[in-house]
């Protein structure tokens, strides 16, 4: 096995879809850890062809360093290639999990682990068929025999990826509306402790929730069947939160009462985001500056309401694109949290209403984008909001989970929606200028005194 030439790494990374630092100057790349495996998923001997899984720390002159997982194939002349395109590596990774292998790495060990009943993984052949997904994604996923999907985590951080932690918790505590976690690969015992890959059951998906909702909402009225499904999604989210709040003995998941300090911290952070967003929007949405003070006052209400309800582990990046439709049911997936945040930030407990705000904003977006495309102008948002909240409240029933008083509930939810709106505006300014008007219009019309309707 030829060692790779680290000098070739910057050019290699610049061509990778999953590399977030594209176009930025790179100061240095350090190989923090590496493990070389053969096609059987064991450590490759020196005289054997192998794949190198390298943990790279990319240092930039201006921003914090980032860590990436790079599976590499090295030609005899030292040239490096992306190895995930090789089915042999896909099968080797599968085998590491299926046989719970321990592979020595440069500084520690790479270890496969099965979660739950091993028979699902072991029912597959040792050398299963492999295919790739067509969807754009930030990680790299492989599908085995249409039964198992493995996601290799690209941008890694020290510690457990939230998807690995959440998947185990949800499985242990019986949440049925997500594809079950089957296993994973972790690096440990050396300079890097991190989740390398997670494997879930592959479900036959009819559509993702976003495309499905757009299709259902196009017409001149919303069907009762559609609204019943929206209510059901709310109920699934309510059950998710009830289960996430169900184990006071697990310190990583134990619900904690929301304190005034939490509300103040969240409010301060959203005021900060407002400042950044205002600056970014100065030329594209100049009229927004008129609303600066009013929006600050809106956010500040969060710091002054009576603290009530719990903070818990949440999905953290919930929108319709993180839901799947299968056999008339909703599945919620991709529990890795917001990729731009550190693992520690993503694992922080928060108000469950943050996830609800994510779904509400996602439906609002779907409504607005349909209107932009010429769909009939009807009020879709109000009935959807009502149905989603009704479903949610029917299942998010754990004692102390949600704020007791309506004011705290409404202010928390309203501020979480505002936080999403600010994120949306920044995103659209940088990526889709023609959609800037969707969040901009809502921000201009937002009425600080009146939150959305809350069904009785
Ligand atoms: N268990 C599953 N069964 C069927 N399809 C799945 C499953 N999990 C994921 N998929 C499909 O694979 C795609 C990518 O999965 P996922 O969103 O987890 O990857 P990601 O790299 O985190 O993507 P993103 O960059 O959007 O966060 C999904 O959009 C979905 O279509
Ligand atoms: Mg993701």
């Amino acid at each position: 096995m030829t060692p790779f030439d680290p000098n070739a790494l910057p050019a290699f990374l610049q061509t990778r879809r999953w590399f977030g630092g594209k176009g930025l100057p790179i100061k240095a790349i350090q190989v923090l850890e590496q493990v070389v495996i053969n096609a059987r998923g064991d450590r490759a001997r020196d005289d054997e062809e192998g794949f190198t899984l390298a943990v790279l720390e990319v240092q930039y002159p201006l921003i914090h360093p980032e860590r990436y997982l790079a599976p590499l194939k090295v030609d005899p002349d030292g040239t490096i290639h992306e190895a995930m395109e090789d089915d042999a590596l896909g099968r080797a990774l599968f085998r590491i999990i299926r046989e719970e292998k321990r592979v020595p790495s440069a500084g520690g060990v790479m270890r496969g682990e099965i979660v739950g009943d091993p028979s699902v993984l072991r029912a597959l052949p040792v050398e299963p068929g492999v295919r790739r997904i067509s969807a754009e994604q930030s990680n790299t996923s492989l599908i085995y025999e249409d039964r198992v999907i493995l996601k290799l985590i690209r941008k890694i951080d020290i510690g457990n990826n939230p998807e690995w932690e959440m998947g185990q918790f949800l499985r242990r505590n019986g949440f049925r509306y997500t594809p079950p976690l089957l296993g994973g690969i972790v690096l440990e015992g050396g300079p890097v402790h991190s989740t390398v890959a997670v494997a879930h059951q592959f479900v036959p998906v009819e559509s993702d929730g976003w495309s499905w909702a757009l299709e259902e909402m196009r017409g001149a009225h919303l069907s009762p069947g559609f609204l019943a499904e929206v209510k059901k999604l709310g109920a699934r989210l309510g059950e998710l939160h009830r289960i996430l709040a169900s184990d006071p003995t697990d310190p990583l998941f134990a619900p904690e009462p929301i304190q005034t300090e939490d509300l103040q911290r969240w409010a301060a952070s959203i005021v900060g985001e407002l400042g950044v967003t205002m600056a970014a929007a100065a030329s594209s949405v100049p009229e927004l500056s008129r609303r600066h003070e009013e929006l600050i006052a809106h956010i500040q209400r969060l710091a002054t309401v009576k603290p009530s309800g719990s903070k818990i582990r949440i999905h953290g990046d919930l929108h319709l694109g993180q839901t799947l439709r299968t056999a008339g049911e909703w599945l919620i997936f991709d529990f890795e949290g917001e990729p731009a945040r550190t693992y520690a930030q993503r694992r922080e407990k928060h108000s469950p209403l943050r996830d609800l705000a994510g779904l509400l904003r996602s439906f609002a977006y779907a409504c607005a984008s349909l209107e932009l495309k010429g769909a009939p102008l009807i009020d879709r948002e109000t009935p959807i909001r009502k149905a989603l909240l009704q479903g949610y409240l029917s299942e998010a029933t754990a004692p102390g989970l949600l704020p007791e008083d309506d004011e705290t509930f409404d202010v928390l939810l309203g501020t979480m929606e505002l936080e999403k709106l600010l994120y949306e505006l920044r995103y659209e300014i940088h990526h889709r200028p023609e959609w800037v008007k969707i969040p901009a219009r809502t921000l201009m019309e937002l009425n600080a005194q009146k939150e959305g309707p809350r069904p009785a």
Side-chain angles (χ1 to χ4, degrees), residues 80-373:
I80 51 184
H81 303 276
E82 168 67 56
M84 282 300 271
E85 283 157 15
D86 194 326
D87 287 358
L89 174 62
R91 282 192 274 270
L93 293 173
F94 178 75
R95 210 159 158 177
I96 290 174
I97 304 179
R98 188 183 188 273
E99 293 168 23
E100 299 197 304
K101 285 180 188 282
R102 296 175 64 88
V103 193
S105 60
V109 65
M110 188 167 80
R111 187 172 64 75
E113 183 177 334
I114 293 177
V115 174
D117 177 4
S119 65
V120 184
L121 286 170
R122 300 214 168 126
L124 265 69
V126 182
E127 303 227 317
V130 181
R131 72 181 172 91
R132 277 145 195 85
I133 62 165
S134 52
E136 290 251 309
Q137 58 168 158
S138 39
N139 300 289
T140 306
S141 294
L142 300 176
I143 298 162
Y144 303 93
E145 307 271 338
D146 280 352
R147 308 257 285 281
V148 175
I149 178 164
L150 174 135
K151 171 152 95 180
L152 184 90
I153 319 272
R154 288 299 188 161
K155 184 155 172 280
I156 66 168
D157 193 356
I158 299 305
N160 288 327
N161 183 292
E163 192 161 16
W164 178 231
E165 228 166 51
M166 297 282 272
Q168 293 186 60
F169 185 91
L170 294 176
R171 181 150 193 164
R172 224 174 22 247
N173 292 282
F175 182 62
R176 285 167 299 152
Y177 303 105
T178 189
L181 180 67
L182 300 174
I185 303 179
V186 295
L187 261 175
E188 60 192 24
V192 177
H193 173 135
S194 197
T195 313
V196 171
V198 286
H200 289 88
Q201 191 167 317
F202 183 77
V203 283
V205 171
E206 284 141 32
S207 163
D208 68 85
W210 169 259
S211 318
W212 184 84
L214 281 181
E215 194 54 38
E216 294 284 318
M217 288 159 57
R218 275 169 35 177
H221 62 269
L222 297 177
S223 74
F226 169 71
L227 288 171
E229 287 303 310
V230 174
K231 187 172 167 189
K232 195 155 92 188
L233 176 59
R236 301 302 176 240
L237 180 62
E239 180 174 334
L240 171 70
H241 288 158
R242 200 180 70 226
I243 287 179
L244 286 172
S246 67
D247 188 357
T249 65
D250 183 339
L252 288 173
F253 285 84
E256 296 170 39
I258 291 176
Q259 314 274 2
T260 304
E261 295 72 44
D262 296 311
L263 298 174
Q264 288 170 342
R265 196 175 66 249
W266 296 336
S269 136
I270 303 171
V271 168
E273 284 183 47
L274 175 66
V276 175
T277 314
M278 285 287 177
S283 59
S284 49
V285 198
E287 65 276 22
L288 200 58
S289 64
R290 287 204 310 271
R291 298 222 65 194
H292 199 166
E293 294 305 315
E294 228 175 320
L295 289 171
I296 290 181
H298 184 96
I299 299 164
Q300 290 296 7
R301 282 174 68 202
L302 182 63
T304 57
V305 288
K306 185 164 158 251
S308 155
S310 305
K311 51 177 182 172
I312 61 169
R313 288 294 290 272
I314 60 172
H315 181 286
D317 188 24
L318 192 56
H319 52 83
L320 284 165
Q322 309 279 42
T323 67
L324 299 171
R325 293 286 305 168
T326 175
E329 196 38 90
W330 292 97
L331 297 179
I332 299 174
F333 76 110
D334 194 4
F335 283 85
E336 68 171 348
E338 265 182 58
R341 299 183 186 238
T342 64
Y343 283 1
Q345 288 167 332
R346 299 189 218 171
R347 286 153 75 206
E348 262 173 37
K349 292 170 189 166
H350 212 292
S351 165
L353 296 180
R354 198 165 194 223
D355 283 344
L356 183 61
L359 279 186
L360 284 168
R361 282 302 312 150
S362 194
F363 274 113
Y365 236 73
C367 297
S369 70
L370 281 172
E371 285 176 18
L372 281 184
K373 288 186 191 127

